[in-house]
Amino acid sequence: MDAVRVALLRDVLAGTEWLGATRRFAGALRGSVVSHGGGLLLVGTQEYEPWHLAAHLVDEAAWSGTPELAPTLVRHDARPSDPAHLAVGLGRLEAARRGETLLVVAPGEPTAPLLERVSDARRAGATLLALGPGDGELPALAHETLAVPAGAELDLDTVQHLVSAAAGENALPPPRGHRRFRDRMSRLADLLTAPPPARW
């Protein structure tokens, strides 16, 4: 989903709770990684790896000038022969420490072994954010949760687009002083004509 589609989606969602919720969650994500200088780990479940979110966060990190947003994608079936950005396995969660942020994206309750690793990372001092189920053990462990229950108006993939776009926007410094209408329109045109994200 490119910047134009995200802008159109936001127009459709105006007046719903989704815009505020995704921006709050993105703000918590950005605040955690920026305040600690980076160290964002992104993991999904065995059945659902959020590689698409990883790609969007890499793009947002580059476009917003906030390199801390670029995640390390932690994969369940990573192999040493995989490209470097896809070769990080679950063992990386065991090395998570204070100052790192762990973002778990799951369409449902993760398995017990993953929850155990996530819990250990939190105990070691990592900040834990969860995107997915609204109840269960994962949200109870997380410092910040954005619930996307089954049957919600938006699916998990769409919510991830909104979160990644908001994380990049939130990284921009607030404008100083009064901005002219032409400046605001120019900024909007830049956002809407940004190149589409690269495919992995």
Side-chain angles (χ1 to χ4, degrees), residues 47-154:
E47 300 78 22
Y48 186 90
E49 290 192 332
W51 62 269
H52 203 94
L53 177 59
H56 281 294
L57 286 171
V58 166
D59 290 340
E60 292 297 336
W63 294 336
S64 68
T66 311
E68 299 90 347
L69 283 174
T72 297
L73 179 61
V74 178
R75 301 182 62 228
H76 290 258
D77 296 319
R79 297 180 303 271
S81 60
D82 289 335
H85 67 286
L86 297 175
V88 179
L90 290 175
R92 178 62 180 88
L93 298 183
E94 295 166 10
R97 294 293 176 258
R98 182 171 307 282
E100 292 186 300
T101 301
L102 173 57
L103 173 55
V104 181
V105 180
E109 181 73 3
T111 61
L114 178 58
L115 284 170
E116 194 172 314
R117 289 176 190 250
V118 167
S119 179
D120 289 346
R122 181 186 162 123
R123 275 196 299 276
T127 300
L128 175 59
L129 287 82
L131 181 59
D135 51 20
E137 200 170 333
L138 179 60
L141 284 171
H143 293 98
E144 187 77 32
T145 300
L146 177 56
V148 188
E153 301 88 355
L154 298 181

